[in-house]
Amino acid sequence: FQRRTHARMSLWIRLSDVASGGKRQVAISTPQGTNTVEIDIPLGINDGDNVQYAGIAPGGQDLVVQFRVHPDPAWERQDLNLITEKIVSIWDLILGAEVTVRNVLGTELVAQIPPRTQPRTLLRLRGQGLRDRGGRTGDILMRVNVSIPDHINPELIEAIKKYH
């Protein structure tokens, strides 16, 4: 029984790489020089996951890649779900509105804000989160937050005071 040796490396990727998967050229440094090989980034890979690629490293070794995912300021990840924040006007929350939000790959999506929505409510866009190799799909959870306009018509303020 001969034990197989492994070459190891870490690879930093973006959240968009997690969403799209795909091929990536990576350089493996050895005492004999640098070799470039092509690997597949698995869909839905988690930060810190290790993936073994059989026999592609120099000398026929297996390559073990530890995937590291850069934090994305626009997204919080929970398994395959992605959480983001959308700032809307107070009128959109009171009256309801149709708003656009971009997914992690930049595709524009339309979300409905129901009338009388409270600030910090999470609205679910089903099936728009990350996918994994097994075909599971997460959701986008859009947290709506409010922006109060700088200028509000004085007549409107008086009307609000009258009915408040």
Side-chain angles (χ1 to χ4, degrees):
F1 175 72
Q2 196 173 21
R3 190 161 179 196
R4 193 169 194 156
T5 58
H6 298 80
R8 296 186 173 277
M9 67 177 294
S10 286
L11 180 64
W12 282 93
I13 60 174
R14 298 179 316 272
L15 191 56
S16 59
D17 297 321
V18 173
S20 63
K23 300 195 179 306
R24 173 77 60 91
Q25 298 286 324
V26 296
I28 305 168
S29 295
T30 67
Q32 293 78 30
T34 301
N35 289 46
T36 301
V37 296
E38 186 174 81
I39 62 168
D40 280 315
I41 298 172
L43 285 174
I45 192 86
N46 291 303
D47 183 51
D49 281 359
N50 291 305
V51 176
Q52 185 169 327
Y53 299 91
I56 68 168
Q61 297 181 80
D62 290 353
L63 175 63
V64 177
V65 177
Q66 181 184 49
F67 285 91
R68 302 304 318 268
V69 181
H70 287 290
D72 189 311
W75 300 98
E76 176 188 332
R77 182 178 178 185
Q78 290 182 349
D79 190 26
L80 296 176
N81 294 329
L82 295 172
I83 302 169
T84 192
E85 184 174 71
K86 178 76 174 180
I87 306 294
V88 298
S89 79
I90 192 165
W91 314 121
D92 290 342
L93 292 184
I94 293 169
L95 301 172
E98 191 174 88
V99 297
T100 58
V101 62
R102 292 191 183 279
N103 70 12
V104 73
L105 295 175
T107 304
E108 204 169 83
L109 306 170
V110 176
Q112 297 292 327
I113 298 175
R116 298 181 190 89
T117 296
Q118 293 295 321
R120 313 249 337 123
T121 296
L122 281 174
L123 301 176
R124 185 177 301 268
L125 284 78
R126 291 206 181 278
Q128 298 298 323
L130 299 174
R131 297 182 291 137
D132 69 7
R133 291 166 286 185
R136 292 187 317 136
T137 303
D139 302 329
I140 288 180
L141 301 169
M142 182 180 74
R143 180 176 291 116
V144 291
N145 226 328
V146 68
S147 169
I148 306 289
D150 291 333
H151 177 72
I152 301 173
N153 185 317
E155 294 165 358
L156 180 57
I157 291 175
E158 288 307 312
I160 291 170
K161 285 179 183 177
K162 180 178 174 184
Y163 291 103
H164 177 59

